[in-house]
Amino acid sequence: AAAAGIRAAWEKEWSAALRRKDAAGLERLADAPAVRFASAAVRSPQHAEALAAMLAADDAAAAARLVVAARDRGLDVPAASAAGPLIAAVRERLGAAETAAAAEILSAFPLGVPDADAEAARFRLGLWAWGKARDARRRGLAGAARALDAEVDGLLPRCSRRDAERKEADKARAALAGAIAEARGLCAAGRMKAARERLASAAADVAPDHAARDVLAALDHELERDEDSLREAREALARRDLRTARRLAAALSFRRADLGEAELLLHEIEERADRALREGLEVERRTAADPPRRRPTRGVVPLPAGEPFILRVESEGDWLFHPAASLWIGGAGDADADLRVPAAVSSRHARLDRDAGPDGVFRWRLAVGPGRSATVNGASVTEATLSDGDVVALGRAFAFTFRRPSPTKAAAGLKLHGDATIQGCSRVVLFCEEGRLGAVVAGAAPEAVVHLRSHDESFDVFRASDGDARGTLFVRSPLGVAAGDDGERAQVRAEGGIVYSAGACRFYFDPAPPDRR
């Protein structure tokens, strides 16, 4: 009895919706719980009535949804009679560029009417190509977009809105191309920030355009790289590496006319270099009354053990070799210093000590003199074990980078910062005279203490520690070494005043002036 009452109320509401041609109401009632009480034989005619009413009310979308629902329920609905009106509705919506509404109606197909089903399939393919053409334009693929547009025109009815969409896309693409050309000109003038603003403005007008976003991202990457270079220049200045700071800041200044920070940094670098030079000159002025007495280097000059000497490599520069396991660093007027620096450095400011651990690994330690100041990588220290790449600053006017490519080798190196030199050399080798164990590698290899940039050849410098040749300095190379005009040998004796060659690399040795050691 309850089911019959529910069924009667449903039929009454259904009849009223049919009279009003209420498509929405009929769609709702077709899914009402009361329908469960009716058989398929009863429900099929009711759906057919509803379909006719929806088509009469020109609600093609509701009619399509009803056909899909009936098909899902296994009901026999005369959908073939709706094929013509539904195809006509699809054409109308496609002409108005209502792609979502057209796709909803097309979901009712196939309906078993060959011509209508084929046309619906063509419309579906056209909608797919239309969407892909839009995506190709967003990605900046104009050629692919044009090919897809031609396919769309052969599958879908003519649409003025689609034509306007293409014209607008072409106009935006031309505007973007003009903005990119203008941005290139601004970049060439060093105005990268202005170029970025111009591109951002153009990209905002074509917001979904991936190509515009990619170009803007590329320029943002360049600006970020410049910011990184500016930060590296400031860090180099903070650790008193004036050459690196000047190189980075000058490159930015040349490339970026709009980057005022680079000009300010260059000015600060020059002020710092000028101040360091003045301080060094002041120190040297106190010893200028006692001019150095230089040893003549004509002819062959011996290089005795325990004495410093200079390695000069053509097109590469000079390295001062100092053969001590413990060296004091002091000012130019410090008679007790082993390494005398023409800068405002105190007498016996700091000491470098080498020792070998039980594991066979050599260590270099920095010990700061009483009352003296020093930092390692910016941290204040009184003593520290040095590692490869550590930046050491003594006082305020002198700094160097400690080079230790191989911990199993006894030799190490110092790369002096700024314009500081010792014996005219900006690079110092802490030499060990204990045979091949203390050999200094010169070349382009990572383990080279004497790093050569313009030569692939390599050679070793070492002093014999036993046998009849004890104390003799030798040069050895896998390519062979030639002394003067002599032929190449695997190993030759090293003396001052002779030009040696290892492959295309030419070099010679000079003794360090005895009164300047």
Side-chain angles (χ1 to χ4, degrees), residues 204-272:
D205 295 336
V206 286
D209 194 310
H210 301 318
R213 294 297 172 186
D214 289 344
V215 173
L216 187 60
L219 189 54
D220 283 340
H221 175 72
E222 290 299 311
L223 290 170
E224 289 175 5
R225 190 177 69 174
D226 288 347
E227 291 296 330
D228 291 341
S229 294
L230 188 62
R231 185 181 64 255
E232 290 175 13
R234 290 193 180 108
E235 291 173 353
L237 180 61
R239 62 176 184 265
R240 299 180 180 87
D241 188 355
L242 300 185
R243 287 180 175 174
T244 300
R246 186 185 291 112
R247 175 176 56 81
L248 292 170
L252 284 173
S253 177
F254 291 145
R255 284 187 348 106
R256 297 285 305 278
D258 59 348
L259 196 62
E261 294 94 328
E263 291 294 335
L264 292 175
L265 189 59
L266 274 175
H267 181 69
E268 184 178 352
I269 291 168
E270 296 312 319
E271 284 189 341
R272 187 79 64 87

Side-chain angles (χ1 to χ4, degrees), residues 290-333:
D290 183 18
R293 296 179 298 278
R294 299 187 178 276
R295 178 189 298 175
T297 58
R298 294 178 181 176
V300 177
V301 179
L303 301 172
E307 296 292 336
F309 58 90
I310 298 173
L311 167 65
R312 306 189 191 275
V313 183
E314 291 185 1
S315 76
E316 291 284 351
D318 304 334
W319 283 261
L320 172 64
F321 278 57
H322 206 296
S326 181
L327 300 95
W328 278 100
I329 302 175

Side-chain angles (χ1 to χ4, degrees), residues 303-307 309 431 433-435 461-465 471-473:
L303 301 172
E307 296 292 336
F309 58 90
F431 189 35
E433 298 184 318
E434 298 180 8
V461 179
F462 66 96
R463 197 176 291 279
S465 59
T472 303
L473 188 68

Side-chain angles (χ1 to χ4, degrees), residues 3 36 63 133 167 169 179 181 186 203 276 299 311 331 333 404 412 513:
R36 295 197 305 269
K167 290 179 181 178
L186 291 170
L311 167 65
R404 188 75 190 290

Side-chain angles (χ1 to χ4, degrees), residues 92-398:
E92 180 182 352
R93 282 156 178 76
L94 288 175
E98 298 174 1
T99 55
E104 183 179 22
I105 299 172
L106 287 171
S107 64
F109 290 86
L111 296 176
V113 180
D115 291 343
D117 290 345
E119 192 166 3
R122 190 168 64 252
F123 287 160
R124 284 198 191 95
L125 184 58
L127 285 173
W128 171 85
W130 191 355
K132 291 300 179 182
R134 285 173 170 169
D135 183 60
R137 278 190 287 272
R138 283 195 295 269
R139 294 169 61 188
L141 305 175
R146 282 194 295 270
L148 288 165
D149 286 338
E151 185 176 353
V152 171
D153 292 341
L155 296 170
L156 299 182
R158 185 65 181 268
C159 174
S160 58
R161 189 175 301 177
R162 193 165 68 241
D163 294 340
E165 177 184 284
R166 295 173 186 174
K167 290 179 181 178
E168 184 178 349
D170 291 340
K171 182 180 178 181
R173 186 165 56 251
L176 178 62
I180 291 175
E182 187 178 345
R184 283 180 179 147
L186 291 170
C187 288
R191 300 176 58 196
M192 293 185 70
K193 288 184 178 179
R196 200 271 177 203
E197 292 173 1
R198 180 68 184 92
L199 274 179
S201 175
D205 295 336
V206 286
D209 194 310
H210 301 318
R213 294 297 172 186
D214 289 344
V215 173
L216 187 60
L219 189 54
D220 283 340
H221 175 72
E222 290 299 311
L223 290 170
E224 289 175 5
R225 190 177 69 174
D226 288 347
E227 291 296 330
D228 291 341
S229 294
L230 188 62
R231 185 181 64 255
E232 290 175 13
R234 290 193 180 108
E235 291 173 353
L237 180 61
R239 62 176 184 265
R240 299 180 180 87
D241 188 355
L242 300 185
R243 287 180 175 174
T244 300
R246 186 185 291 112
R247 175 176 56 81
L248 292 170
L252 284 173
S253 177
F254 291 145
R255 284 187 348 106
R256 297 285 305 278
D258 59 348
L259 196 62
E261 294 94 328
E263 291 294 335
L264 292 175
L265 189 59
L266 274 175
H267 181 69
E268 184 178 352
I269 291 168
E270 296 312 319
E271 284 189 341
R272 187 79 64 87
D274 182 72
R275 185 165 62 249
L277 179 60
R278 288 175 181 271
E279 291 175 350
L281 290 174
E282 185 61 31
V283 172
E284 287 190 350
R285 184 176 287 110
R286 292 195 290 267
T287 59
D290 183 18
R293 296 179 298 278
R294 299 187 178 276
R295 178 189 298 175
T297 58
R298 294 178 181 176
V300 177
V301 179
L303 301 172
E307 296 292 336
F309 58 90
I310 298 173
L311 167 65
R312 306 189 191 275
V313 183
E314 291 185 1
S315 76
E316 291 284 351
D318 304 334
W319 283 261
L320 172 64
F321 278 57
H322 206 296
S326 181
L327 300 95
W328 278 100
I329 302 175
D334 184 2
D336 295 327
D338 301 291
L339 300 177
R340 303 178 190 179
V341 183
V345 177
S346 302
S347 174
R348 294 172 71 87
H349 196 113
R351 189 180 70 249
L352 292 169
D353 297 316
R354 180 186 73 236
D355 63 77
D359 53 359
V361 175
F362 287 89
R363 295 175 179 81
W364 281 92
R365 294 187 57 80
L366 174 74
V368 184
R372 314 304 190 215
S373 64
T375 63
V376 176
N377 299 325
S380 180
V381 298
T382 55
E383 63 176 29
T385 300
L386 299 180
S387 301
D388 184 46
D390 283 347
V391 177
V392 179
L394 304 182
R396 296 180 302 169
F398 175 66

